[in-house]
Amino acid sequence: DAGVIQSPRHEVTEMGQEVTLRCKPISGHDYLFWYRQTMMRGLELLIYFNNNVPIDDSGMPEDRFSAKMPNASFSTLKIQPSEPRDSAVYFCASSLPLIGKNIQYFGAGTRLSVL
Amino acid sequence: DAKTTQPNSMESNEEEPVHLPCNHSTISGTDYIHWYRQLPSQGPEYVIHGLTSNVNNRMASLAIAEDRKSSTLILHRATLRDAAVYYCILRASGTYKYIFGTGTRLKVLA
């Protein structure tokens, strides 16, 4: 298995532009998570899905951020418009629905720089 | 959400055991204790987890205090590849939500 695949690995954009980050979870995993990592705030959970349905989006910082999961093999995190403070590494993770043995598998991340 | 406290950094010599502590005094009876590590420029990866009993796997051992207010991740023989940030996380039973703390940065000396 190729693991969780994120694209692009690096994204540089200018303030005000729309940014779309993509994630392909591990096949068969029912849960998908989006995290953001910064030096100041560490790793923060933004939102997670179960069977393509958003379950908890309480970590989404503001309305500029939106996430979708149109099918079991693809999710996007969109920032519109982007701001310099959105610069961070964004991770996607997926897991099986095994409540007693919940293991999240993380992708390599997308490093976003907003100039 | 229950919180964890870890030392900011630790050092170990190569091929020696490493004990990484974690305090979680507000843990509830059904919270699972998870450990992940993050190697440089990579996403976090699972290390081990437990509920009440000590656990062993090929990567590490997890020792959980009898009152569950603290736990220790044990790497039996540290290698240079084990240099990473180690996160101790509490996960409430019935949820899939992780709250990452600041972690411990482990430096392994050759």
Side-chain angles (χ1 to χ4, degrees):
Chain A
D1 197 321
V4 175
I5 299 173
Q6 293 186 245
S7 64
R9 289 296 313 277
H10 302 274
E11 177 80 43
V12 180
T13 191
E14 292 188 349
M15 184 174 63
Q17 296 298 306
E18 177 179 296
V19 176
T20 299
L21 311 181
R22 296 172 176 81
C23 175
K24 177 178 168 56
I26 294 172
S27 177
H29 282 195
D30 293 350
Y31 282 80
L32 184 138
F33 306 81
W34 282 101
Y35 290 86
R36 178 174 68 175
Q37 186 171 35
T38 62
M39 289 294 293
M40 292 295 295
R41 301 176 66 90
L43 264 163
E44 303 173 277
L45 176 66
L46 300 178
I47 185 171
Y48 76 93
F49 295 82
N50 175 219
N51 289 325
N52 314 334
V53 176
I55 302 301
D56 186 337
D57 66 354
S58 58
M60 295 286 263
E62 48 196 278
D63 292 346
R64 297 185 298 106
F65 285 69
S66 62
K68 293 183 180 178
M69 192 163 184
N71 58 62
S73 59
F74 183 65
S75 178
T76 59
L77 178 67
K78 186 177 294 185
I79 308 172
Q80 166 63 18
S82 58
E83 297 182 3
R85 61 193 167 118
D86 302 330
S87 297
V89 181
Y90 291 81
F91 290 103
C92 176
S94 69
S95 74
L96 288 166
L98 299 174
I99 193 65
K101 193 182 159 84
N102 177 251
I103 298 173
Q104 293 185 19
Y105 296 85
F106 284 75
T110 295
R111 182 174 296 276
L112 173 65
S113 297
V114 183
L115 307 178
Chain B
D1 296 316
K3 303 238 185 283
T4 62
T5 304
Q6 300 177 253
N8 287 334
S9 63
M10 291 184 64
E11 281 188 2
S12 172
N13 293 320
E14 198 176 11
E15 301 200 0
E16 290 187 358
V18 182
H19 291 234
L20 297 166
C22 180
N23 287 320
H24 29 78
S25 57
T26 60
I27 191 171
S28 75
T30 55
D31 285 347
Y32 286 84
I33 302 162
H34 288 254
W35 283 82
Y36 278 69
R37 71 179 185 181
Q38 188 173 18
L39 302 171
S41 301
Q42 295 188 26
E45 66 172 343
Y46 171 81
V47 177
I48 200 166
H49 81 286
L51 184 59
T52 55
S53 304
N54 294 344
V55 184
N56 299 298
N57 66 21
R58 63 175 180 82
M59 288 182 71
S61 296
L62 175 60
I64 301 173
E66 197 169 330
D67 63 5
R68 298 206 335 123
K69 293 184 185 300
S70 66
S71 61
T72 302
L73 178 70
I74 302 165
L75 306 179
H76 296 287
R77 288 181 66 206
T79 70
L80 296 177
R81 280 202 67 249
D82 291 322
V85 178
Y86 287 78
Y87 295 98
C88 169
I89 304 160
L90 299 183
R91 178 177 65 84
S93 176
T95 79
Y96 293 84
K97 193 170 177 176
Y98 289 169
I99 309 295
F100 281 82
T102 54
T104 297
R105 183 174 298 277
L106 176 65
K107 185 176 180 180
V108 180
L109 305 174

